[in-house]
C-alpha cells in the first residue's frame, strides 16, 4: 500500500485493526520462489493463518502444528495433499482425523509419534509419508541415534514410508555463516544415512529461519541480500527434493497495524500517549519491545499548529506497566484521534499477543487488494465471554 492508501485508512478506518496487503504478499512469494528454484516452498501457517488461503498458488505445502490449525485448513478448504501435520504434541484422535481427511504428509518428532502415525495408518489401511525431524538441541525433533534406529527398523512399519528428514533450528537469523553451517550438518547426515544405513533421502524440509527487518527503514534491503546469499547455498542440484519451510519471511512485510491516540498527558517529565491498541496486539519486537523504533507512519487527523517534534512514550490500553509500545517517539502536534500505523506486522502479532489479558476486544482484520479495496476477514470480537464462567 502506498502512502495515500495508508492516509485514507488512518482517516476512515476503525481501530485497532490489522490490514494485510495481498498484492504485496503475492509479489513477495513470487520473488522468493524465483530465488529458491528448483526448491519448493512450505508455508508455516502459524505465522498468519488468515493468509493461508492466499498461498494456494504459491506454495507446495502447508505446515500445520496443532489441531486448531488443522481445523482452519479444513474450514478454508485447503488442499489436504499439501498439508504436513507437524508439531511436538500429536494426539491419537487428531492424527486419525487428519488421515481421514486425506492428509498424507507428517513429521515425526519422537519414536512415540512415529509409532502413533504407524498405528493410525494401519487402522485406516493407509500408507503415509513421514519426515523424521532432527533436533538441534531443543525440544523439537529427535536425536541422531533415534533417527537411525527408526530407519534401521523401517520395514517394521508397513503403513509408513520414511520420505526423508526435517530440520529447523530457529528464526530471525541474519548471519549466513550460521545457516550455512546448519545446511552442511543436515546434508552430512543425509550422506551418512545413505552410506551407513542404505537409506536414500527423497525429501529434505529445511527451515532456514531467515530474518526480517522490523526497526529501521535502512534495514529493508537486508532480507533481499540475505535471500540472495542463502540461495547460493543451493545452487547445485540435489538428488532429493528440497522444500524450504517459511512463515515470517513470507508474510511480515505485507501487514499493517492501525491504532489511534485516545488520551495524552504529561506525567512528571514524560509525555504520555495512550492508544487503543497495545502489546496484546503488537509483540513482534520480542525482547526489544519499546527499546527500538519500528517502521511506522504517523497520520495526524487535524491541521498542524506546530512543526516542532516532541518525544512521546506510547502506551497501550492494558493496565500494566509492561504495555509500552514505544519510548521517545518524536511526534509533531500529536492529539487524540491521530493514527499510528505499524509496518511489517504480517507475521505472528495477529495471533501471538496476550489477547485475553484484561478482556479487551480483538481487533478487526482486513485483507487489501488494489482492485478490490478492503475486505473484512474478521470483525472485532469481545473476549470477556472467554474470561467468564459458563
Amino acid at each position: 500500500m502506498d502512502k495515500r492508501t495508508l492516509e485514507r485508512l488512518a482517516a476512515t478506518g476503525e481501530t485497532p485493526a490489522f490490514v494485510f496487503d495481498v498484492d504485496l504478499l503475492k509479489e513477495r512469494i513470487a520473488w522468493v520462489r524465483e530465488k529458491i528454484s528448483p526448491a519448493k516452498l512450505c508455508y508455516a501457517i502459524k505465522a498468519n493463518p488468515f493468509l493461508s488461503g492466499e498461498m494456494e498458488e504459491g506454495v507446495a505445502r502447508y505446515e500445520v502444528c496443532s489441531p486448531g490449525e488443522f481445523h482452519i485448513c479444513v474450514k478454508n478448504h485447503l488442499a489436504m495433499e499439501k498439508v504436513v501435520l507437524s508439531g511436538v504434541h500429536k494426539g491419537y484422535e487428531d492424527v486419525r482425523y487428519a488421515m481421514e481427511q486425506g492428509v498424507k504428509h507428517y513429521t515425526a518428532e519422537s519414536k512415540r509419534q512415529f509409532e502413533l502415525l504407524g498405528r493410525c495408518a494401519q487402522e485406516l489401511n493407509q500408507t503415509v509419508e513421514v519426515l523424521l525431524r532432527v533436533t538441534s538441541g531443543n525440544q523439537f525433533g529427535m536425536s541422531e541415534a533415534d533417527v537411525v534406529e527408526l530407519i534401521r527398523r523401517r520395514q517394521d512399519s508397513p503403513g509408513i514410508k520414511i520420505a526423508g528428514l526435517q530440520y529447523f533450528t530457529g528464526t530471525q537469523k541474519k548471519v549466513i555463516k550460521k545457516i550455512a553451517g546448519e545446511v552442511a550438518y543436515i546434508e552430512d547426515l543425509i550422506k551418512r544415512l545413505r552410506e551407513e544405513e542404505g537409506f536414500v533421502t527423497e525429501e529434505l524440509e529445511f527451515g532456514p529461519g531467515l530474518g526480517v527487518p522490523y526497526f529501521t527503514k535502512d534495514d529493508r534491503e537486508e532480507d533481499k541480500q540475505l535471500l540472495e546469499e542463502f540461495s547460493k547455498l543451493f545452487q547445485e542440484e540435489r538428488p532429493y527434493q528440497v522444500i524450504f519451510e517459511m512463515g515470517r519471511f513470507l508474510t511480515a512485510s505485507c501487514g499493517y497495524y492501525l491504532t489511534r491516540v485516545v488520551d495524552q498527558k504529561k506525567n512528571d517529565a514524560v509525555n504520555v500517549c495512550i492508544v487503543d491498541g497495545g502489546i496484546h496486539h503488537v509483540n513482534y519486537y520480542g525482547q526489544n519491545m519499546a527499546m527500538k523504533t519500528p517502521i511506522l507512519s504517523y497520520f495526524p487527523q487535524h491541521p498542524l499548529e506546530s512543526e516542532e517534534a516532541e518525544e512521546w512514550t506510547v502506551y497501550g490500553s492494558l493496565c500494566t506497566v509492561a504495555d509500552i509500545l514505544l519510548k521517545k517517539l518524536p511526534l509533531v502536534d500529536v492529539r487524540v484521534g491521530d493514527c499510528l500505523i505499524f509496518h511489517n506486522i504480517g507475521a505472528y502479532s495477529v495471533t501471538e499477543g496476550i489477547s485475553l489479558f484484561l478482556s479487551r476486544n480483538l481487533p478487526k482484520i482486513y485483507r487489501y487488494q488494489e482492485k478490490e479495496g478492503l475486505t473484512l476477514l474478521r470483525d472485532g470480537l469481545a473476549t470477556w465471554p472467554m474470561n467468564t464462567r459458563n
Side-chain angles (χ1 to χ4, degrees), residues 172-176 179 209-214 219 222 226 229:
Q172 279 298 79
K173 287 177 282 189
K174 299 183 180 182
V175 179
I176 199 66
I179 301 172
L210 300 177
V212 299
Y214 281 138
D219 290 340
E222 280 187 6
L226 190 61
E229 294 176 351

Side-chain angles (χ1 to χ4, degrees), residues 86 104 165 167 186 274 280 297 299 305 330 336 340 371 379:
S86 190
K104 297 297 183 184
L165 304 179
Y167 192 55
I186 197 63
I274 308 294
H280 50 321
S297 300
F299 294 100
E305 296 182 0
V336 171
L340 294 175
K371 291 183 179 179
D379 206 345

